[in-house]
Amino acid sequence: MKTRLTLLISALLCFTILDAQEDKKLDSLLSVYATQSDDTTKVKTLHQLFIHLRHKDARQAFTYNKESLSLSKKLGYPLGEGTAYLNLAYYYRFLPNVDSARFYFEKSVRILKKNTEKERWWFTLNEYATFETLQGNFNKALSLADDGMQIASELKSGTRLIDNLQRKSTIYMDTGDFKMAMETALEASRIIDTLVVQNPKRKAIALADIGRIEMLRGNYERSLEPMQESLGIFEKLNDEVWIATVLIEIGNLYWYLKDYDNSQKKYEESLEISYQMKRDDFVAANLANLGLILQDKKQYGKAIEYLEKGNTIARKIGSINNVIINHNDLGTAYFSNRDYLSSIKNHSVAIRLADSIAALDILADGYFGRSQAYEGSGDYAKALLDQREFQKIRDSVFNENKSRQIEELKTQYETEKKEQQIALQEKDIAVLEKEAQISYQQKLLLGGGLGFSLVALGLGFYGFRQKIKRNRLEKEKINAELAFKRKELTTHALQLAKKNETLEGLKQKANALKEADSGNTGYQQLIRAINFDLQDDNNWENFARYFEEVHKDFNSKVKTKYPQVTSNELRLLALLKMNLSSKEIANILNISLDGIKKARYRLRKKLDITTEDSLQDLVLSL
């Protein structure tokens, strides 16, 4: 629901600007067009005809745009030519033809970049950013949004800057960077408040963004108020597009709260408006969300019906991300309905499409869902293979994040040294302050001849103090980054625990089947394969490497202070350092809960510690 909604919001940010241009009725435009000669004014009218017809009659809109492009080339009118290429990109985006759309976006940007009228260039960059967001190319979308912000600054346009910030906030939501999403949304809101002419629509969008981010961060109670305030503003403006959108958001919020009846009601209200507007993208989103609600209410047959309808429309409008998500949702619904073959089929389609665009998160969802379907159908060997693929992708995503943050880790590596330097510098400052006071008194006695020396000392002291201030600010930043890295490490540990728990479950089922069919040797091979994966030291080596990057020198400190500790006990100490539960530690180390209790007891005895609390305190102090 989250991903489908944020992609829809990203598209909406573009539609908001485009729909503002549809201020003339078709008959009026055609009347003007019929009387015009072949000049730049006619090019502009042809553009308006395209805008008016692009959703109502795409083929006729294409015809008018083709004439506009031909006339612009004939007149040597680059603004008209660049705009016509933009319209072609828009047309192919909804055909859909992704390659052609991207080709014409690039062509439009190249031509309009050379034009002195920067407004159209800014507008094209925003359209292009929307397209790349819908295709899941978030880095490219952010780059285009940054380019748009640069132009908005050159134009000294607060409203354009707000649009770019709100677009970036939506992209950050898509990538799961809720901290940056909130910072960007609040920045947009602050600029809105400084506008001389009030803009209630953009204010309502900002409120919706803030509410959505709070929802995605799990702050559900804080999310409802800004969303309801946003909906009230849009209802006063009679803006059907955004009313439908915020209703979806509120429906999502109720879904997170497990209030399925209210969630379904909001989706149905949005769906009704979407049908009235003839907006397929909204219809598809609402149908898919209603399908998920019905699935949660265990009405699997009806859920599949809604999801199939939504998927058909998603394919038509060409949002590949939504198509992948829909197939995974269908796979889950069929699995819940015990139709394992249909579940496998839909997850397989999602896996193929996600792999084609390297969408790792939803690719992992596909493998996980298909592994469950294979298990349900009794094909445990394929279930195990898909489970391994799921874990491999999860590890890959973790490693990718790690690579992006390598420079931050290097900074963290130097933190302890910098802290020592700061401590020494603070002592030096105290000495300098004392010396400065004495020196000042001496210089007053000695007279003004030494005044210059005092000024020099003061300036040097000020520069030194500023350096300390910068170091402190840098330390605060490093601490924030370290907190994030600790969260990533915990996520990796829990994923490792979940994998081992799943494998152990498969092993137990295989053992049960082996006993029921003692003549089949295939089960023994499966059990050996599971045991091999459970005992694979590579998993622990990867985890240990991440752990050492966050808890620098922990292992060496333990070995120095307690040389009698074994390698297995060192593993236990590392997991205790992360404050994991006994069950999570047991899953990671692949031993029983009783085994963990005995290991803790032996460790306390070896370290001469009397209580469990004393052991935890010791670990945290290292």
Side-chain angles (χ1 to χ4, degrees):
M1 288 185 181
K2 178 200 76 173
T3 306
R4 189 181 291 109
L5 172 65
T6 47
L7 290 174
L8 180 59
I9 295 297
S10 182
L12 257 183
L13 290 173
C14 183
F15 292 141
T16 300
I17 305 164
L18 286 169
D19 288 339
Q21 299 182 34
E22 298 187 48
D23 56 352
K24 294 183 179 181
K25 293 182 179 180
L26 181 59
D27 290 342
S28 176
L29 285 169
L30 290 172
S31 177
V32 172
Y33 164 70
T35 62
Q36 287 178 317
S37 57
D38 289 349
D39 56 17
T40 57
T41 306
K42 188 173 185 177
V43 171
K44 294 175 182 177
T45 303
L46 287 164
H47 169 65
Q48 290 297 320
L49 282 166
F50 172 84
I51 295 297
H52 192 86
L53 291 168
R54 61 194 169 160
H55 291 301
K56 299 173 183 177
D57 187 347
R59 288 304 305 172
Q60 186 59 46
F62 178 83
T63 301
Y64 284 125
N65 188 68
K66 185 177 179 181
E67 183 181 350
S68 174
L69 179 59
S70 177
L71 182 56
S72 295
K73 288 181 177 180
K74 177 182 175 182
L75 296 171
Y77 182 40
L79 179 61
E81 186 179 351
T83 301
Y85 284 130
L86 169 62
N87 291 341
L88 276 174
Y90 191 89
Y91 169 79
Y92 282 112
R93 171 186 153 191
F94 284 94
L95 194 58
N97 186 325
V98 173
D99 291 337
S100 293
R102 184 175 284 116
F103 172 80
Y104 285 114
F105 271 125
E106 287 288 346
K107 202 160 187 176
S108 177
V109 168
R110 282 198 303 272
I111 292 174
L112 293 173
K113 188 175 183 179
K114 300 174 184 177
N115 196 271
T116 56
E117 188 179 329
K118 292 185 178 181
E119 286 85 354
R120 182 63 58 180
W121 181 22
W122 173 87
F123 181 79
T124 301
L125 288 169
N126 275 0
E127 272 278 357
Y128 195 3
T130 298
F131 168 79
E132 292 295 2
T133 302
L134 291 170
Q135 299 308 314
N137 299 326
F138 300 121
N139 288 336
K140 177 67 173 178
L142 281 172
S143 175
L144 291 165
D146 285 334
D147 291 343
M149 287 183 66
Q150 178 63 38
I151 299 170
S153 298
E154 292 173 7
L155 292 169
K156 294 181 173 59
S157 173
T159 56
R160 291 181 178 84
L161 190 59
I162 291 164
D163 290 334
N164 287 125
L165 287 168
Q166 289 176 334
R167 183 176 309 284
K168 288 184 69 174
S169 179
T170 301
I171 297 169
Y172 284 130
M173 278 184 260
D174 281 336
T175 59
D177 190 345
F178 302 133
K179 180 178 180 293
M180 284 300 300
M182 180 61 82
E183 288 180 2
T184 311
L186 290 174
E187 185 179 353
S189 184
R190 284 192 292 269
I191 297 174
I192 290 169
D193 291 337
T194 65
L195 295 177
V196 177
V197 179
Q198 292 299 304
N199 195 314
K201 187 168 190 173
R202 284 185 170 86
K203 183 65 176 178
I205 294 172
L207 286 166
D209 280 343
I210 291 169
R212 190 182 318 115
I213 297 165
E214 292 289 12
M215 176 179 65
L216 296 176
R217 294 168 81 177
N219 302 325
Y220 303 130
E221 299 303 326
R222 288 162 59 181
S223 170
L224 187 58
E225 183 179 347
M227 283 191 183
Q228 288 178 331
E229 187 178 350
S230 173
L231 180 61
I233 296 173
F234 287 128
E235 286 175 341
K236 288 180 182 178
L237 295 172
N238 196 28
D239 191 320
E240 290 185 330
V241 173
W242 278 99
I243 290 172
T245 303
V246 179
L247 283 171
I248 293 176
E249 293 175 357
I250 297 175
N252 285 351
L253 176 57
Y254 282 125
W255 178 80
Y256 280 118
L257 291 169
K258 300 188 185 304
D259 185 348
Y260 298 132
D261 289 338
N262 268 324
S263 180
Q264 183 174 346
K265 181 181 176 182
K266 295 302 178 185
Y267 290 144
E268 287 171 346
E269 289 177 21
S270 180
L271 180 61
E272 184 179 352
I273 296 171
S274 302
Y275 276 128
Q276 291 172 0
M277 294 189 298
K278 297 182 179 179
R279 286 292 297 268
D280 284 345
D281 46 352
F282 283 77
V283 171
N286 280 301
L287 287 172
N289 286 341
L290 281 167
L292 294 178
I293 287 292
L294 291 166
Q295 183 176 323
D296 288 329
K297 296 173 84 170
K298 303 189 185 307
Q299 299 175 24
Y300 301 124
K302 201 169 182 181
I304 291 169
E305 178 185 342
Y306 274 89
L307 288 168
E308 290 283 13
K309 286 181 181 178
N311 198 35
T312 300
I313 298 172
R315 283 186 174 278
K316 175 184 172 185
I317 62 179
S319 174
I320 189 168
N321 280 71
N322 282 350
V323 170
I324 298 168
I325 294 166
N326 285 353
H327 275 295
N328 274 333
D329 290 341
L330 274 166
T332 303
Y334 277 117
F335 173 81
S336 300
N337 207 32
R338 300 181 183 278
D339 185 349
Y340 301 125
L341 292 179
S342 294
S343 177
I344 291 167
K345 177 182 176 182
N346 277 279
H347 282 306
S348 296
V349 173
I351 289 168
R352 175 174 55 80
L353 293 174
D355 187 53
S356 71
I357 63 169
L360 294 183
D361 281 343
I362 43 184
L363 178 61
D365 292 340
Y367 276 116
F368 181 77
R370 196 171 69 177
S371 74
Q372 288 186 310
Y374 277 132
E375 183 182 348
S377 68
D379 195 338
Y380 298 107
K382 287 184 179 178
L384 178 59
L385 289 174
D386 273 358
Q387 182 65 32
R388 285 179 172 175
E389 286 297 322
F390 164 73
Q391 189 60 46
K392 188 189 299 180
I393 294 168
R394 282 299 186 200
D395 290 343
S396 174
V397 171
F398 186 85
N399 288 334
E400 185 178 325
N401 292 335
K402 177 177 173 290
S403 297
R404 286 198 300 264
Q405 296 162 7
I406 191 67
E407 292 304 318
E408 297 170 2
L409 288 174
K410 288 179 180 177
T411 304
Q412 178 201 324
Y413 178 78
E414 297 295 329
T415 302
E416 291 184 6
K417 291 181 180 179
K418 288 184 178 180
E419 287 177 344
Q420 294 173 358
Q421 291 172 358
I422 289 170
L424 290 172
Q425 288 169 340
E426 286 175 341
K427 289 180 181 178
D428 290 342
I429 287 172
V431 173
L432 283 172
E433 286 175 338
K434 192 171 183 179
E435 290 178 354
Q437 185 178 4
I438 295 171
S439 178
Y440 177 72
Q441 293 171 348
Q442 290 174 342
K443 287 174 176 56
L444 282 176
L445 294 173
L446 292 172
L450 297 178
F452 179 77
S453 298
L454 180 60
V455 173
L457 178 62
L459 290 174
F461 174 75
Y462 174 76
F464 199 52
R465 177 70 80 174
Q466 288 298 101
K467 184 177 180 182
I468 295 296
K469 183 178 178 181
R470 285 195 299 272
N471 283 342
R472 284 173 179 163
L473 290 173
E474 185 177 355
K475 181 176 179 291
E476 289 174 3
K477 178 183 176 184
I478 291 168
N479 286 338
E481 292 163 351
L482 181 57
F484 175 77
K485 200 62 190 174
R486 283 179 179 141
K487 182 178 178 182
E488 291 288 302
L489 175 62
T490 302
T491 300
H492 184 79
L494 294 178
Q495 286 174 349
L496 185 59
K498 181 63 178 175
K499 185 211 74 168
N500 285 349
E501 185 179 11
T502 302
L503 288 173
E504 188 62 38
L506 283 172
K507 179 180 174 182
Q508 291 173 6
K509 290 180 180 179
N511 275 322
L513 289 169
K514 177 188 173 186
E515 292 174 4
D517 186 8
S518 58
N520 193 332
T521 60
Y523 296 119
Q524 188 60 42
Q525 293 175 354
L526 177 59
I527 292 168
R528 282 199 297 270
I530 293 172
N531 284 334
F532 177 79
D533 199 276
L534 284 169
Q535 297 166 7
D536 185 5
D537 283 340
N538 287 333
N539 291 326
W540 178 261
E541 288 174 4
N542 290 333
F543 171 80
R545 187 169 64 255
Y546 302 145
F547 179 87
E548 184 68 14
E549 289 170 348
V550 173
H551 301 287
K552 189 66 181 172
D553 296 331
F554 177 82
N555 290 345
S556 61
K557 287 177 182 176
V558 172
K559 290 175 182 176
T560 300
K561 195 169 184 179
Y562 304 104
Q564 72 273 31
V565 169
T566 67
S567 59
N568 285 336
E569 288 168 338
L570 186 60
R571 290 185 180 189
L572 177 58
L573 285 168
L575 295 172
L576 289 172
K577 177 73 173 177
M578 293 180 62
N579 205 24
L580 296 175
S581 69
S582 294
K583 182 181 178 182
E584 290 161 347
I585 294 173
N587 285 332
I588 292 172
L589 297 179
N590 193 31
I591 58 179
S592 66
L593 282 172
D594 286 340
I596 289 295
K597 291 178 182 177
K598 291 176 182 177
R600 285 174 182 262
Y601 173 77
R602 287 194 297 269
L603 187 58
R604 290 200 308 273
K605 190 173 181 180
K606 180 177 287 189
L607 301 182
D608 196 23
I609 295 172
T610 56
T611 67
E612 189 71 31
D613 290 340
S614 300
L615 175 60
Q616 194 65 34
D617 291 341
L618 173 67
V619 171
L620 293 176
S621 69
L622 289 171

